[in-house]
């Protein structure tokens, strides 16, 4: 829970002096936007709403009321799951893709359920050991960045890309 609390604090108030000592492996996502500060603020609002509920994960039906309406509206409409979908075959296909192919496949819009999957700490999701948000800022007019803490590169960043895109960011680029 300490990791979640640290991430939530960094989302709300930014880095503290002690955070620099704990510096993790950081990946910087650069983006362009008419108002980069608004993109960062929107992404913070969405992510904070999710992180606040990690300890008591709501049912999917509750999320449209818990998240900012603009984010939910920008998500792809939910589709009916295909009962013949082979998860293991899909995972094999996904692991075989290059980083560039994965980035292309992850371009939005995403369905809300797919996006939440990467934060869901229950057995149904992939968010049981996830901490991300480290810092963010505006580098110059028309561009900004978000730094995420990770265990190494490459890492799964599709849900972050969609969050930034839904918040108004474009032309995303990743680096360390």
């Amino acid at each position: 829970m300490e990791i979640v609390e640290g991430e939530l604090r960094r989302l709300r108030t930014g880095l503290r002096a002690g955070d620099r000592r704990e510096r993790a492996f950081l990946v910087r996502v650069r983006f362009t936007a008419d108002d980069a500060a608004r993109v960062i603020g929107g992404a913070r609002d969405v992510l904070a709403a999710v992180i606040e509920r990690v300890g008591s994960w709501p049912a999917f039906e509750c999320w449209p009321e818990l998240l900012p309406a603009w984010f939910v509206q920008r998500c792809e409409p939910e589709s009916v799951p295909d009962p013949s979908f082979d998860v293991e075959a899909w995972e094999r296909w996904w692991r075989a893709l290059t980083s560039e192919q994965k980035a292309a496949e992850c371009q939005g819009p995403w369905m809300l359920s797919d996006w939440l999957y990467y934060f869901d700490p229950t057995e149904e999701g992939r968010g049981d050991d996830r901490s991300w948000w480290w810092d963010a800022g505006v580098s110059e007019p028309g561009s900004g960045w978000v730094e995420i803490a990770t265990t190494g590169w490459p890492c799964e960043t599709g849900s972050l890309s969609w969050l930034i895109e839904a918040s108004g960011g474009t032309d995303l680029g990743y680096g360390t």
Side-chain angles (χ1 to χ4, degrees), residues 3 13 17 19 21 29 32 38 59 66-67 75 83-84 109 118 127-128 131 133 135 142 150 158 170 174:
I3 290 172
T13 62
D19 290 332
R21 286 192 310 273
V29 185
T32 59
R38 184 180 54 75
L66 299 172
L67 293 167
C75 288
S84 65
Y118 287 95
D128 61 334
S131 175
W133 194 278
D135 199 8
T150 184
T170 59
Y174 288 83

Side-chain angles (χ1 to χ4, degrees), residues 43-96:
R44 278 185 164 125
D45 290 345
V46 172
L47 198 52
V50 171
I51 303 230
E52 288 171 345
R53 291 163 178 88
V54 166
S56 178
W57 195 252
F60 175 72
E61 298 76 33
C62 300
W63 283 105
E65 299 299 319
L66 299 172
L67 293 167
W70 61 264
F71 179 74
V72 175
Q73 291 166 357
R74 290 180 185 156
C75 288
E76 184 78 16
E78 294 295 316
S79 62
V80 177
D82 178 358
S84 65
F85 181 74
D86 185 342
V87 174
E88 291 175 0
W90 182 89
E91 286 178 344
R92 284 190 304 275
W93 167 80
W94 181 256
R95 283 191 293 273

Side-chain angles (χ1 to χ4, degrees), residues 118-139:
Y118 287 95
F119 300 92
D120 182 349
T122 69
E123 291 179 7
E124 287 82 40
R126 300 268 314 256
D128 61 334
D129 187 25
R130 189 216 64 77
S131 175
W132 247 13
W133 194 278
W134 193 260
D135 199 8
V138 175
S139 18

Side-chain angles (χ1 to χ4, degrees), residues 98-113:
T98 65
S99 296
E100 293 80 17
Q101 291 169 322
K102 287 178 180 177
E105 288 292 327
C106 287
Q107 291 182 356
W110 283 36
M111 289 187 304
L112 181 58
S113 60

